[in-house]
Amino acid sequence: MAEDYVIRVLGSPLDVDAAAWDALLQTQPNPSPFMRHAYLAALHASGSAAPATGWTPHFITLCIGDELVAACALYEKIHSYGEYVFDWAWANAYAQHGLPYYPKAVAAVPFTPVPGARLMARDAAARVALVKAMVQWCDQSGMSSLHLLFANEEDAAACTQAGLMLRHTVQFHWTNIEQGYPHFDAFLASLSQEKRKKIRQERRKVAEAGVSFRWSLGQDISPSDWDFFYRCYERTYLEHGNAPYLSRDFFHRMASTMAEHWLLFIAERGGKAIASSLIALDAYTTGAVSQNTSGEWAAMRSAQVKEEPAKRAGDTEQSALPPSLRSEMKRVAYGRYWGALERVDCLHFEACYYQPLQWCIEHGYHRFEGGAQGEHKMARALLPVKTTSAHWLAHPAFADAVARFLEREDQGISNYLDDLRQRSPFKPVD
């Protein structure tokens, strides 16, 4: 480890300098809003991701003098819930051999399977130094293993250099065309006849059931709408026999500290709200956009929101993003949470895919990420994307066994991707 680095292990995200953390995040290639200090702090302070729920924070920072040059959100785990890269079989194998798999260490955003920067660093050397510091801490603390989830390419390269093993899974993302679809029907026209017909049939069923949608953005999401969303979210978890991961207090904190990152759709029938879906937004940019350009867009959007507090989803408005900015900004939306109080055929598809996709098209968004797993998403034009995690196991024999397993699994993932790509929902390109 380079002697210039001062390594600290902090027991709470609240112990981290928020301004320094966020400044370092914004220099990363994939600075998703889920790695913002306010997001991680809200998870902790609300009790959603805290020691009581099996997420004990050990945030690791590397400094040179007073400058933060690398940092990572690291959690000690006593279970494998809320991760979305599944290692239950590894835990069972440990148990069968009389060895403890827990506690383990996870470098991730709790409950958030969104690829992006996990190892925030000033440069490649600091990133590798951070990985080595994490492994050293895990070894000294008696962790069975270290798992870095949904990493970007830079993280994967640093982990490989530090000797970690890579693992791949598949997600499904929608990507706008370079010039942007002018409207939802233009997007549908790019699909095969079968998929286009299916989507129109599903949307028609919802409309004929008397369901309409409205959306609200940022500060215009009212407290009562947040409350209604949480009723839907909580009910969906309870119907599946589980308590929700996130508390109402967490979403209260999001409304207070990160409102600009949230878009809420509410389904109504007969004047009564019956379902909702919550979408996260990258309110800034994942591309190389100047601060002035980003500021120009933020000011323009703020003014627009004040004029239009809530719009009916499905309006055939022009894109809110002017072409001059649209070509420069690679803005991303993330499908996150949904729930319903009444059952309507195809309502889930409308609330979680078609309404958000239509909104993304109308507002110049580059990508919509549909979350973990879900091959059915391909019928909605979300295409397969390989995601990466990195793993270190302290036990040499188990590390060897996992390495062999990952080699076989990776070949299976490659074959699976090849098969999926042959089933594209889009019309063949001449």
Side-chain angles (χ1 to χ4, degrees):
M1 190 66 59
E3 294 182 1
D4 289 339
Y5 294 120
V6 176
I7 304 171
R8 296 185 177 91
V9 181
L10 305 174
S12 166
L14 306 181
D15 296 334
V16 180
D17 184 291
W21 179 280
D22 286 343
L24 184 61
L25 173 63
Q26 287 306 309
T27 67
Q28 305 307 299
N30 304 95
S32 86
F34 309 106
M35 279 292 289
R36 280 189 57 188
H37 185 271
Y39 189 87
L40 298 169
L43 286 170
H44 180 79
S46 68
S48 300
T53 59
W55 295 81
T56 301
H58 299 282
F59 282 35
I60 296 183
T61 64
L62 271 61
C63 295
I64 296 180
D66 294 331
E67 180 187 3
L68 181 67
V69 299
C72 181
L74 187 69
Y75 295 88
E76 178 181 342
K77 293 292 301 298
I78 56 173
H79 55 65
S80 293
Y81 294 106
E83 298 174 14
Y84 304 97
V85 176
F86 303 112
D87 62 350
W88 298 105
W90 301 1
N92 289 337
Y94 268 68
Q96 289 170 5
H97 287 80
L99 298 172
Y101 189 67
Y102 305 106
K104 66 176 186 177
V106 174
V109 180
F111 323 119
T112 310
V114 174
R118 295 293 176 264
L119 305 172
M120 303 191 304
R122 180 182 66 178
D123 51 38
R127 190 171 286 107
V128 173
L130 178 59
V131 179
K132 292 181 178 179
M134 294 163 64
V135 171
Q136 183 179 42
W137 180 85
C138 288
D139 197 26
Q140 293 174 349
S141 301
M143 301 290 117
S144 74
S145 49
L146 167 65
H147 310 268
L148 191 144
L149 309 182
F150 300 103
N152 63 15
E153 292 181 5
E154 291 76 12
D155 293 347
C159 289
T160 299
Q161 186 172 340
L164 276 68
M165 300 174 285
L166 299 186
R167 186 182 191 185
H168 298 107
T169 53
V170 176
Q171 289 189 353
F172 296 85
H173 300 172
W174 174 87
T175 303
N176 210 338
I177 57 177
E178 184 175 353
Q179 66 272 29
Y181 292 107
H183 44 70
F184 193 81
D185 282 343
F187 157 62
L188 287 182
S190 70
L191 301 178
S192 68
Q193 181 181 9
E194 176 191 1
K195 296 298 187 291
R196 183 167 61 248
K197 181 179 179 182
K198 180 179 180 65
I199 290 174
R200 284 177 172 158
Q201 286 176 338
E202 291 176 342
R203 302 200 80 181
R204 190 179 304 117
K205 287 180 181 180
V206 176
E208 290 176 349
V211 178
S212 62
F213 280 80
R214 61 179 174 89
W215 60 261
S216 298
L217 177 65
Q219 295 288 353
D220 291 314
I221 304 175
S222 69
S224 61
D225 281 346
W226 277 111
D227 287 339
F228 174 74
F229 155 74
Y230 197 78
R231 283 179 59 202
C232 296
Y233 165 76
E234 182 179 45
R235 178 165 175 169
T236 296
Y237 268 87
L238 294 175
E239 285 179 347
H240 288 84
N242 300 304
Y245 285 135
L246 302 174
S247 67
R248 176 65 183 91
D249 183 52
F250 168 78
F251 291 106
H252 172 77
R253 293 172 185 272
M254 288 294 95
S256 299
T257 63
M258 289 180 59
E260 72 275 17
H261 290 283
W262 297 104
L263 169 67
L264 181 65
F265 291 90
I266 292 184
E268 297 176 330
R269 181 163 64 175
K272 176 185 175 184
I274 63 169
S276 64
S277 63
L278 186 66
I279 309 300
L281 302 175
D282 186 346
Y284 302 103
T285 175
T286 57
V289 180
S290 69
Q291 185 175 2
N292 290 338
T293 301
S294 182
E296 178 187 348
W297 161 245
M300 181 190 68
R301 184 64 187 119
S302 177
Q304 182 187 42
V305 167
K306 290 178 181 178
E307 295 174 1
E308 303 175 307
K311 296 190 70 69
R312 287 283 158 184
D315 289 352
T316 56
E317 63 176 34
Q318 295 297 314
S319 169
L321 188 65
S324 61
L325 297 185
R326 185 171 179 148
S327 62
E328 295 183 60
M329 301 181 75
K330 302 297 186 183
R331 297 162 63 78
V332 186
Y334 310 88
R336 298 308 305 129
Y337 312 106
W338 111 286
L341 304 185
E342 296 183 12
R343 296 188 182 277
V344 176
D345 192 19
C346 298
L347 181 59
H348 173 261
F349 299 137
E350 182 69 25
C352 296
Y353 301 110
Y354 305 144
Q355 291 291 335
L357 287 180
Q358 182 165 327
W359 192 94
C360 286
I361 289 169
E362 292 172 351
H363 292 79
Y365 271 63
H366 173 72
R367 189 168 74 250
F368 175 76
E369 298 189 7
Q373 289 98 33
E375 190 175 319
H376 68 278
K377 296 170 186 173
M378 282 193 68
R380 283 89 202 169
L382 280 72
L383 299 184
V385 174
K386 183 187 287 189
T387 61
T388 302
S389 58
H391 307 268
W392 168 86
L393 282 75
H395 195 290
F398 270 99
D400 289 342
V402 167
R404 293 192 298 271
F405 164 78
L406 292 179
E407 185 176 355
R408 296 190 301 272
E409 184 185 58
D410 192 54
Q411 184 58 55
I413 291 291
S414 295
N415 294 338
Y416 177 54
L417 284 168
D418 289 341
D419 177 64
L420 290 176
R421 287 164 183 154
Q422 293 176 16
R423 294 188 271 143
S424 171
F426 291 91
K427 293 188 295 190
V429 178
D430 295 332

